[in-house]
Every structure is written in C-alpha cells, then in structure tokens.
Amino acid sequence: MGTTNDNQDITSEAPKLLLSSSIASVSDPGSNAGIKPQAGIGKEHPELPWYYMYLSYKELKRYIAVFSGRKAVKLRTSEGPAEDRYFCFKIFSYTEAGHRKRFEQCDYTRQEYAARRESAKIVKEAFSTGSATRLNALTDEKEVQGNGWLFVCAPLEQLQNILSAMFPRQYLVTDYVTHRAAVIPQRQMEEFIYLYESMPYNIELLNRPLEAYLQKKQRIRITGGIFHGKEGCIMRLHRNTRLVFAFGNMTVAISYLHAFPFEKVD
C-alpha cells in the first residue's frame, strides 16, 4: 500500500481506508450476484457478514485475543456488576509488515509449497463447516507484526457491545454513505483469505478502487476454480503483467495469470 495513489508499494507503512463494496461504482459479480450457501453451511452455520477495524500493533494483538476467545472481556449486565465473558468469533488479521515478511522470506521449497497448500485447505474447511477454531488457528496474536486490519465475523449488536466495554474505545470502519458499519459478505472474505494463505507472494493490495484500473483495459472473467465468475482486467504493474480485480472491498493484483482460466468480456 502506498502513500499516494501512484505509489503502490506494499512495503509502505501508510494506512489506507478500504473502499466499501456497498458503495463501489464497479460491482464484483463473482461475489455479489447469485451467491449460494457453500457445502456444509446451513442453519448451524449461518452466513454472518464480516466487519473490520484498523488497529495499532498493541490493540490488534489485544482484540485478536478477545475475539478468538483467548481473553475475557468485562461486560455489565442488567442484573448486577460487570462479569468476565468469553466470545469466539471467526477472525482474520492483515498487516503490511506481516505480508512483506511472508514474501521476502519465501524460499520456494517443497516445504513452503506444502505449508501454503495446508493453509489453503484449512481456509476451505473452515468456511465449509463454519469452524471458527480452524480459521482462527491461522491468526496468532503473538505473531502479529505492525499495525493492520482485523476482520471479525459476528452479530453486529454483540460486536458493538464488546467494543463499548473496552478501553480505549475502538470503532468499526463505516460506509461513508450510510454511516453504518461497512460489511464484507462471507464469500468475498473467504476468497481473500484463501488467496492470501495460498500465495501471499503473488498478490498486492492496491490503493485505488477497481474502476480506476478498468479504464481502457481489456476486461476478463475467470471461468473456473474458487474464483469462478470474478471480473477484472489484465494490466502491467511494476513491469509485470497482473490480473487486477476486486475481493469485496479491496482491489488486488495477482501475478502468474496462467494459473487462472479466463475469457474476455465485451
């Protein structure tokens, strides 16, 4: 993420508010249209939306511990004094420092490849079964590096009650049109986590919304795999050809286009 719109160096430490998919002028049909529940998700695992916050290093570690059930939070009840409560939501954190470390230290060995495949498998299983435990195993507050984003899948009212009981008070990112908490649907979040866990060294988060990159570019649609239905464009970034498209409220550039079957869109 860069400090200006023209500088898209992910090694920069400048924070950036992400464009909410609810207000994006270019839709993400692969994620927003015709969504069907995934295998294993039923009444026991309702598709709750995801919310997110940008937190400092120390607060990020603290909130990961709280939202993953590793640390209690004191909540007041109508019947008496505050009491310790534990909550376990599905969470995922992203920091620029952590991302940079992943692809800088990648040694392209069989062990690294196996580790990435195992992480991707965990993501698919966690979303297909609704397992917070499986997904949260990928996020350890002890390994967090730098400031960054914390994504939480939880009922909004419950989430706000927890936030109001913690100090200093932290707030969810809001949609600047509706002034309500910005939402990321389940499938969009699954796609981003899957991509980040399976090939972090091949992706880059960009500063601008997708429509800024679509102008005068050939639009394409992915025709197979977990990203079936995604639309974006092919363009050159940093001297390399990338596939640029939206993951919910993010714009992502991906290397190694031959890994994605696609067709051109008029």
Side-chain angles (χ1 to χ4, degrees):
M1 298 181 194
T3 55
T4 68
N5 283 344
D6 293 327
N7 177 14
Q8 291 156 13
D9 181 6
I10 199 168
T11 63
S12 168
E13 290 298 325
K16 175 185 71 68
L17 286 182
L18 304 176
L19 177 70
S20 170
S21 59
S22 63
I23 56 175
S25 59
V26 174
S27 64
D28 183 16
S31 288
N32 294 322
I35 296 177
K36 297 180 180 179
Q38 300 186 27
I41 297 179
K43 294 182 179 180
E44 295 183 12
H45 312 295
E47 291 196 3
L48 294 172
W50 289 70
Y51 305 94
Y52 56 102
M53 304 176 287
Y54 189 85
L55 300 169
S56 67
Y57 164 69
K58 290 184 178 180
E59 290 301 297
L60 184 56
K61 296 180 68 173
R62 178 188 177 204
Y63 277 82
I64 287 174
V66 168
F67 290 139
S68 62
R70 300 167 189 163
K71 185 177 180 180
V73 59
K74 287 189 176 295
L75 291 183
R76 293 189 177 278
T77 65
S78 58
E79 302 175 354
E83 60 182 31
D84 286 345
R85 295 281 303 280
Y86 287 87
F87 298 87
C88 185
F89 304 128
K90 284 187 288 187
I91 62 169
F92 189 77
S93 68
Y94 172 90
T95 69
E96 295 171 357
H99 190 175
R100 182 171 63 249
K101 180 180 178 181
R102 280 199 174 190
F103 61 71
E104 285 180 347
Q105 295 184 352
C106 176
D107 53 9
Y108 294 97
T109 62
R110 290 184 178 180
Q111 291 79 5
E112 171 67 15
Y113 177 73
R116 297 276 61 82
R117 287 196 63 179
E118 179 60 25
S119 293
K121 179 181 178 182
I122 289 173
V123 175
K124 295 180 71 174
E125 290 178 351
F127 276 90
S128 66
T129 63
S131 173
T133 302
R134 290 284 284 168
L135 184 63
N136 294 355
L138 299 172
T139 303
D140 187 342
E141 71 273 15
K142 298 177 183 178
E143 299 178 358
V144 169
Q145 297 182 329
N147 307 333
W149 302 96
L150 178 59
F151 302 90
V152 185
C153 179
L156 181 58
E157 183 178 358
Q158 200 170 48
L159 189 56
Q160 290 176 329
N161 288 339
I162 296 171
L163 292 177
S164 64
M166 298 178 66
F167 299 96
R169 178 69 187 272
Q170 303 292 337
Y171 296 89
L172 300 172
V173 172
T174 58
D175 184 315
Y176 68 80
V177 173
T178 65
H179 303 292
R180 297 176 180 175
V183 172
I184 304 177
Q186 278 272 7
R187 180 179 172 186
Q188 293 178 11
M189 199 65 219
E190 178 182 3
E191 290 166 341
F192 175 71
I193 299 175
Y194 179 89
L195 179 64
Y196 182 72
E197 290 296 332
S198 61
M199 49 181 181
Y201 25 78
N202 292 344
I203 72 172
E204 178 183 0
L205 269 67
L206 304 182
N207 276 342
R208 291 176 285 176
L210 180 62
E211 58 264 36
Y213 301 93
L214 289 178
Q215 299 177 8
K216 299 181 180 180
K217 299 292 189 302
Q218 176 63 57
R219 298 186 62 164
I220 60 99
R221 179 185 298 114
I222 298 176
T223 59
I226 190 172
F227 307 125
H228 174 77
K230 280 287 179 203
E231 290 189 6
C233 66
I234 295 177
M235 61 181 295
R236 289 183 65 83
L237 286 173
H238 316 310
R239 299 181 182 180
N240 294 317
T241 302
R242 306 284 186 90
L243 170 61
V244 177
F245 58 113
F247 276 96
N249 61 346
M250 305 177 191
T251 305
V252 180
I254 310 176
S255 304
Y256 296 98
L257 302 181
H258 61 270
F260 300 90
F262 63 86
E263 64 181 2
K264 294 181 178 180
V265 179
D266 295 332

